[in-house]
Amino acid sequence: MTIKVRLSGEADEIARLLAHLREHFEVAGGDRTYANRGSFGVRAYAELREPDAETPHRVQSERVRPTAKEVEP
């Protein structure tokens, strides 16, 4: 399971939180910060995954159109 997060606050506080999260999760991203628009501080985006989680599998899907019976007039 992967969780996407957006962190907003002071840059040093975000860095400390990400360091803590890296002790418990695999963390992708979070290294780049962006200035918040209309408020103080910065924001960073990251993805978290449990260290022992299986790698997600890609599934091929196809679009199925409803038959005439399934479509109500």
Side-chain angles (χ1 to χ4, degrees):
M1 169 177 65
T2 301
I3 300 170
K4 294 183 180 187
V5 296
R6 175 184 170 198
L7 305 170
S8 180
E10 298 301 323
D12 58 334
E13 293 171 348
I14 291 174
R16 279 199 317 266
L17 178 60
L18 285 169
H20 176 74
L21 290 171
R22 285 189 174 101
E23 295 174 8
H24 303 284
F25 297 94
E26 293 178 21
V27 178
D31 302 325
R32 186 171 178 189
T33 59
Y34 305 88
N36 280 334
R37 289 174 270 185
S39 67
F40 299 104
V42 298
R43 65 188 185 279
Y45 301 90
E47 293 185 18
L48 310 176
R49 183 175 16 194
E50 293 182 70
D52 58 351
E54 291 183 26
T55 304
H57 301 292
R58 292 199 173 260
V59 177
Q60 183 78 24
S61 64
E62 62 183 72
R63 177 172 281 185
V64 178
R65 299 204 184 270
T67 63
K69 286 183 175 180
E70 295 174 338
V71 177
E72 293 185 29

